Amino acid sequence: MKRIAYTFLKVALSLLLAAGILWWMYRGIEWRQVAEALLSEMRWGWMLLSLPFGVAAQVLRALRWRQALEPLGERPRRSVCTNAVFLSYASSLVVPRIGELLRCGVLRRWEGTSLPHSVGTVVTERVVDMLIMLLLSAVTILSQIPVFARFVSTTGLSLSTILGGFSRAGYLVTAVCALLALGVAVYFCRRFRLLRGAHKAWRNLLDGLLSIRRIRGKTLFIAYSLGIWAAYFLHFWLTFYCFASTESLGLGAALVAFVVGTYAVLVPTPNGAGAWHFAVKTVLMLYGVAQAEGAMFVLIVHSIQTLLVVALGIYALIALLCITKHPQ
């Protein structure tokens, strides 16, 4: 019961946060304008062209995940991996961050895959994604330093301002809280049980984390990783050509908006709703897009891309019900 209540509270807070940001951003909007933009102003050809890249990013993620599992003796079917990834993205729209565990659970149920192995490879994937994103961020920042400076100034984000608000007592309290959090994490890690026998569970989890060292065809793994992010970017960039206000912004503006939007998605709301809208709209305004047009762009693009995630999730659920489970 406590677990259900916690999950409900988590979902409710996530939805409230997203709703609050969206209400603040669109409180004065006339919805007739949204309908007009969809029916007469937006170039649907470019939007339809962008959608396959959204699908491709998830398919490539599934293929990379399957490759990471092979050195551990796990050989799940491509179809199951792909549908598990589709379902994970869709489920995260309901409960933020639940998708990663869900896709591991799908593999365990349909293929008998070791849960610690799959969790370990997912963590490894995230580390690789983080490294790629940091590299992309560095390249983007270096090429667009004046724009990021304006973004920090416009949003009021300043590390010196944040740290300047801390007193000595504040630093001490922060350090104590960090140590307590670390202690609690260590305690729960010691109590953690995924399978019978904690040592076996941790060994399997560590194997999953280090599976990248034993992957056959590391070049293919790298190609999958780069392909995932290239597909994400194209999925976003092509939407710039859907609107007259954004079609001439260029590659640099798209990169800045993509990087800022990617970090905004980390906010625990469904698909980054609210935070993504605000971040990307702010970037567009720095490049000269009017506030109303920027708000319209992010609302329409995010809504359509979210509907694609929902559609893939529904497809995956139906497809999995038609796939025979391997005996465990």
Side-chain angles (χ1 to χ4, degrees):
M1 183 62 71
K2 289 183 179 179
R3 198 169 193 177
I4 295 175
Y6 172 75
T7 301
F8 177 78
L9 180 62
K10 184 178 178 181
V11 174
L13 290 175
S14 172
L15 293 175
L16 283 173
L17 177 60
I21 299 175
L22 291 173
W23 173 83
W24 176 75
M25 284 187 61
Y26 297 104
R27 60 190 183 279
I29 195 172
E30 294 184 14
W31 294 103
R32 176 180 54 81
Q33 297 176 347
V34 179
E36 290 178 356
L38 283 169
L39 296 175
S40 59
E41 298 177 16
M42 193 174 83
R43 298 160 186 162
W44 277 95
W46 284 104
M47 181 62 72
L48 294 176
L49 184 62
S50 75
L51 297 181
F53 290 101
V55 180
Q58 296 190 38
V59 172
L60 289 171
R61 184 173 294 281
L63 294 175
R64 185 183 66 173
W65 186 30
R66 185 174 183 272
Q67 187 185 15
L69 285 165
E70 286 180 352
L72 305 175
E74 308 285 0
R75 291 177 174 79
R77 288 166 286 183
R78 289 186 181 87
S79 59
V80 176
C81 286
T82 301
N83 287 312
V85 170
F86 286 168
L87 197 59
S88 72
Y89 275 82
S91 64
S92 292
L93 297 177
V94 181
V95 182
R97 309 294 179 260
I98 196 65
E100 305 295 14
L101 289 176
L102 178 62
R103 64 161 154 151
C104 295
V106 169
L107 249 61
R108 178 168 178 78
R109 186 170 182 182
W110 263 263
E111 304 287 59
T113 303
S114 165
L115 189 60
H117 278 171
S118 57
V119 170
T121 53
V122 166
V123 174
T124 300
E125 278 191 311
R126 287 309 180 194
V127 172
V128 172
D129 288 337
M130 180 186 69
L131 292 175
I132 293 175
M133 198 58 215
L134 289 175
L135 178 61
L136 180 60
S137 300
V139 171
T140 304
I141 290 173
L142 289 175
S143 64
Q144 302 286 316
I145 288 177
V147 176
F148 273 97
R150 290 202 303 273
F151 177 80
V152 171
S153 175
T154 301
T155 57
L157 297 176
S158 170
L159 184 60
S160 60
T161 302
I162 294 172
L163 294 180
F166 276 73
S167 62
R168 290 184 179 180
Y171 281 113
L172 179 61
V173 170
T174 301
V176 170
C177 290
L179 289 174
L180 287 174
L182 180 62
V184 171
V186 171
Y187 170 77
F188 279 106
C189 284
R190 289 181 176 177
R191 303 280 297 180
F192 186 53
R193 296 294 186 272
L194 283 174
L195 298 173
R196 292 181 180 179
H199 293 295
K200 181 180 178 181
W202 279 113
R203 187 165 57 250
N204 288 339
L205 183 60
L206 184 61
D207 285 341
L209 285 167
L210 300 178
S211 63
I212 191 173
R213 297 191 307 176
R214 304 197 300 271
I215 287 177
R216 296 176 184 176
K218 290 184 174 61
T219 302
L220 180 60
F221 185 87
I222 294 172
Y224 281 149
S225 300
L226 295 177
I228 289 168
W229 286 96
Y232 280 142
F233 176 68
L234 290 170
H235 183 44
F236 173 68
W237 183 28
L238 290 175
T239 62
F240 273 41
Y241 296 96
C242 294
F243 302 91
S245 60
T246 54
E247 65 177 346
S248 60
L249 292 183
L251 181 62
L255 275 172
V256 174
F258 177 72
V259 169
V260 171
T262 299
Y263 286 114
V265 170
L266 297 177
V267 176
T269 59
N271 203 22
W276 187 90
H277 291 71
F278 172 74
V280 174
K281 186 200 76 169
T282 303
V283 170
L284 295 179
M285 289 173 62
L286 294 178
Y287 279 94
V289 177
Q291 180 174 346
E293 294 175 333
M296 191 73 67
F297 171 87
V298 295
L299 176 63
I300 292 175
V301 169
H302 188 272
S303 298
I304 292 176
Q305 292 184 346
T306 299
L307 286 175
L308 175 65
V309 172
V310 172
L312 291 175
I314 294 172
Y315 165 81
L317 186 60
I318 296 172
L320 285 171
L321 293 176
C322 299
I323 296 176
T324 305
K325 298 175 186 176
H326 277 181
Q328 302 181 24

